[in-house]
Amino acid sequence: MRIERIAGKKETQATEEDYSLISEKILKYKGKTGITIPVLQTIQKAFGYLPKNILKQTSIDLRIPLNELYGVASFYSQFRFTPVGKNMIMVCKGTACHVKGAEKILDEISRKIGIKDGETSTDMEYTLEGVACIGCCALAPCITINNEVHGRLNTKSIDKIFKSKKAEGKNQ
Ligand code: FES
């Protein structure tokens, strides 16, 4: 499973053309109130992050001050300002997972994909991020890959997951 994005988009700074791909969705919010978060979520769902120029055009079209968009986006950790890889891997570092070896899991994944916590691979295939509790403590230690939860992990199961992801990728 992959992050839901506009099909075929490269993970680089979005262009003006890109805005036209989501403008219809954005313009549906015009004139409504309490829209800042859903609008930001719409943009991030399409691009995987909040591209500057898309925020700028959104601000113009919806008459929301640009600093308000940035202010709200900066407040919530769900929003990002930099591109992420096609596969977003989040390793839970919450207490239950920490106790059950989250660091080992993170190290193993990091070794496998060749990037550290907080980094994105140069081929834009993976982003790796250590996060706070993801709400599945009974499954500790756990991770999510593109929002899909994998729990009760050890280094062997990590290996299995990546093998099946690779096979999935080849079949796409
Ligand atoms: S501590 Fe990892 S899911 Fe809660």
Side-chain angles (χ1 to χ4, degrees), residues 91-99 102 131-143 149:
V91 178
C92 179
K93 289 169 129 185
T95 309
C97 291
H98 173 74
V99 169
V131 295
C133 178
I134 56 173
C136 308
C137 306
L139 299 176
C142 51
I143 65 170
V149 178

Side-chain angles (χ1 to χ4, degrees), residues 46-65:
F47 299 99
Y49 74 111
L50 302 172
K52 275 185 199 158
N53 58 323
I54 301 292
L55 287 178
K56 205 170 161 191
Q57 195 55 49
T58 300
S59 156
I60 294 166
D61 283 358
L62 298 183
R63 298 196 177 149
I64 301 174

Side-chain angles (χ1 to χ4, degrees), residues 100-111:
K100 297 237 175 170
E103 277 309 316
K104 264 192 193 164
I105 300 296
L106 183 59
D107 288 349
E108 179 63 14
I109 297 174
S110 175
R111 194 188 58 75

Side-chain angles (χ1 to χ4, degrees), residues 131-161:
V131 295
C133 178
I134 56 173
C136 308
C137 306
L139 299 176
C142 51
I143 65 170
T144 61
I145 302 181
N146 303 332
N147 297 324
E148 190 181 306
V149 178
H150 300 268
R152 298 199 179 100
L153 298 172
N154 54 42
T155 46
K156 270 190 187 162
S157 49
I158 293 287
D159 209 43
K160 263 192 193 164
I161 292 168

Side-chain angles (χ1 to χ4, degrees), residues 117-135:
D117 185 5
E119 291 182 346
T120 295
S121 58
T122 48
D123 61 1
M124 301 307 290
E125 198 58 35
Y126 296 106
T127 294
L128 178 61
E129 203 168 86
V131 295
C133 178
I134 56 173

